[in-house]
Amino acid sequence: MASTKKSIEVILKPEVKDLGGFTVRRLLPAGSRQSLGPFVFFDHFGPVSFPPGVGAMDVRPHPHIGLATVSFLFDGAITHRDSLGFVQDIVPGDVNWMTAGRGIVHSERTPRALREKGFSLHGLQTWVALPKECEACAPAFEHHSARTLPKWESGGVTFTVVAGRFQGHSSPARTFSETLYVFASCSAGSEFLVPTEHEERGVYLVDGQAMLNDTPLNPGELVVLAPGAQPRLNALSDVRVFLVGGAPLDGHRHIWWNFVASERATIEEAKKRWTSGAFGVVPDETEFIPLPEVSLGRT
């Protein structure tokens, strides 16, 4: 059996955060690694169940700069509203891709129909840092339904390209640099080699039991692969896994609250804009998240 000793660069363990009613497992940014490809933020939330009329996801309007947010659900639904005027529900298998660029404001809430009947919520939210030349681009929003994403089955593994490219297939979501973001649903006993077409790659086991060559994979841990390694993933049960990565960032990024930038001055300017109300507003929303005194991010 092949060894993974030279295949694994580091295993990132989650930082568990309580967001009030449900927990989030945060893999990026980490103390040992700020990014993986263009990804600078990686959250796994849920699964969590809410009974009828009790609890919901209510993320009040808040700003972003210098990044694109990528939302993907396994269960539940979230209503996105933003300062460009877009209102869009995301359901399992769909992709919401929001490019913040020089600045955007959005909220994320549970749809009213789900609040009334009860619901489960489970998914991933990630941030992709924009290249330096795109950090101040115009904000934009895209929604791509599950049926529009490249999807195929091979040897008991169903691959879906959520963003970027993989094995000759490309997602319709606009990316600004080489990106790997692929969902693989594997039946028990299936296997596949993790290809080397992207410079930086990670394997994230959502659930189930699997091996990466001779190393057991633990759900909730992000395995960063060594450059050029091509390990084999073996599914010991039905598993769901994400392949994540892409081209390395073109330099260090400062992360403060919801702001990502290559220069600290850009973040300081964004703080002033949010405090002064210069970011714009989300239509039909009156609440907002004030600028925190201390950021939970890393700079």
Side-chain angles (χ1 to χ4, degrees):
M1 180 179 294
S3 172
T4 52
K5 290 183 179 180
K6 295 183 179 180
S7 297
I8 296 176
E9 183 175 297
V10 66
I11 298 178
L12 302 180
K13 298 184 181 298
E15 182 179 356
V16 179
K17 295 182 176 292
D18 186 352
L19 298 186
F22 66 98
T23 59
V24 166
R25 295 174 293 288
R26 183 158 299 164
L27 284 304
L28 291 172
S32 60
R33 191 176 186 105
Q34 185 198 46
S35 61
L36 181 59
F39 291 87
V40 294
F41 183 92
F42 190 108
D43 263 9
H44 182 180
F45 55 88
V48 61
S49 296
F50 295 92
V54 180
M57 180 179 185
D58 276 306
V59 180
R60 293 167 292 161
H62 57 281
H64 288 286
I65 65 166
L67 56 84
T69 65
V70 190
S71 301
F72 185 89
L73 295 180
F74 304 110
D75 200 5
I78 297 173
T79 299
H80 161 98
R81 292 183 175 87
D82 65 41
S83 52
L84 298 178
F86 288 98
V87 179
Q88 177 66 58
D89 284 351
I90 181 175
V91 298
D94 292 358
V95 175
N96 273 5
W97 180 285
M98 184 184 75
T99 301
R102 60 178 173 262
I104 196 169
V105 184
H106 76 135
S107 66
E108 297 163 290
R109 300 183 185 271
T110 300
R112 178 176 297 179
L114 287 188
R115 295 170 189 257
E116 295 174 351
K117 68 179 183 180
F119 65 100
S120 294
L121 185 64
H122 187 199
L124 299 178
Q125 182 156 72
T126 58
W127 297 353
V128 173
L130 299 178
K132 292 179 181 179
E133 66 269 19
C134 301
E135 285 184 321
C137 70
F141 176 79
E142 301 175 30
H143 173 80
H144 300 282
S145 66
R147 69 177 183 276
T148 67
L149 302 179
K151 184 176 181 178
W152 70 98
E153 191 274 338
S154 177
V157 181
T158 299
F159 296 100
T160 303
V161 183
V162 177
R165 62 176 180 85
F166 180 73
Q167 295 187 342
H169 302 270
S170 297
S171 166
R174 180 188 180 191
T175 55
F176 294 80
S177 59
E178 283 292 330
T179 303
L180 170 67
Y181 200 42
V182 171
F183 175 48
S185 179
C186 312
S187 60
S190 64
E191 60 181 41
F192 67 91
L193 287 173
V194 181
T196 59
E197 59 186 310
H198 293 278
E199 187 173 347
E200 295 188 353
R201 297 157 301 141
V203 177
Y204 183 76
L205 185 64
V206 177
D207 49 29
Q209 295 180 306
M211 302 282 291
L212 197 64
N213 287 351
D214 58 355
T215 298
L217 295 181
N218 296 317
E221 295 180 351
L222 180 58
V223 179
V224 179
L225 301 182
Q230 194 174 26
R232 183 179 301 276
L233 187 144
N234 292 274
L236 305 181
S237 66
D238 290 347
V239 303
R240 293 184 292 185
V241 64
F242 257 83
L243 305 180
V244 56
L249 287 177
D250 55 351
H252 178 77
R253 290 301 188 276
H254 301 284
I255 304 174
W256 195 95
W257 191 36
N258 301 313
F259 304 143
V260 174
S262 55
E263 300 292 337
R264 287 184 183 272
T266 305
I267 290 179
E268 294 303 316
E269 189 266 345
K271 291 181 187 180
K272 295 176 182 178
R273 287 166 55 204
W274 181 240
T275 301
S276 67
F279 258 93
V281 297
V282 178
D284 301 320
E285 293 266 18
T286 58
E287 298 180 302
F288 68 94
I289 300 178
L291 188 77
E293 293 184 6
V294 178
S295 169
L296 298 180
R298 295 179 169 88
T299 61

